[in-house]
Amino acid sequence: MTVRVEIFMRIEHEQVAEFLAECIVRNLDDTDMLPVADLYGMYVIWCEQRGIEPHVVQVFSQAVRLQGLEPGMSRNERVLKGVAATGPIPIQYILETDKGPSLNSAFGALV
């Protein structure tokens, strides 16, 4: 791997790490789950608000895994267990999408 590629990958992963630090809470009970699709949707909004281009989902997923978050399955949906969304981005995500909250997310408990 060239130095140029390594620098590019580090920048990609730092961006995702910053998003995760701002927008999720970790180490919760495994009954707290965040659908991966919702996490990516929130990431896109976070990027838009900062005027930066979001990574494609494959790069985003790899960066999430490198941050120690491994997706699992619940009710036929890919989720992160022990994780919840926090801050204004999840609210913005709900307001901007037509998708109702997943039954696997903390938002689903409100429905």
Side-chain angles (χ1 to χ4, degrees):
M1 185 179 320
T2 68
V3 172
R4 188 175 181 178
V5 171
E6 286 180 28
I7 291 170
F8 180 72
M9 288 177 62
R10 188 177 316 127
I11 291 169
E12 288 178 337
H13 297 294
E14 287 174 4
Q15 178 182 317
V16 173
E18 183 181 344
F19 160 74
L20 294 172
E22 288 182 29
C23 297
I24 68 164
V25 177
R26 300 177 187 220
N27 302 320
L28 302 173
D29 187 276
D30 277 355
T31 59
D32 292 305
M33 293 181 250
L34 180 61
V36 173
D38 291 347
L39 183 68
Y40 185 73
M42 288 183 273
Y43 167 71
V44 169
I45 291 170
W46 182 85
C47 288
E48 289 172 353
Q49 289 183 354
R50 281 155 184 74
I52 56 178
E53 190 71 26
H55 300 306
V56 295
V57 71
Q58 293 86 352
V59 172
F60 175 78
S61 295
Q62 179 185 20
V64 167
R65 283 189 179 94
L66 288 173
Q67 293 297 314
L69 297 170
E70 192 63 41
M73 293 296 290
S74 178
R75 298 181 182 153
N76 296 320
E77 185 175 38
R78 290 181 60 225
V79 297
L80 296 173
K81 293 182 179 182
V83 174
T86 188
I89 297 295
I91 296 166
Q92 187 81 27
Y93 174 71
I94 289 171
L95 294 173
E96 288 187 17
T97 61
D98 293 334
K99 178 184 171 199
S102 164
L103 293 176
N104 286 316
S105 73
F107 306 125
L110 302 174
V111 181

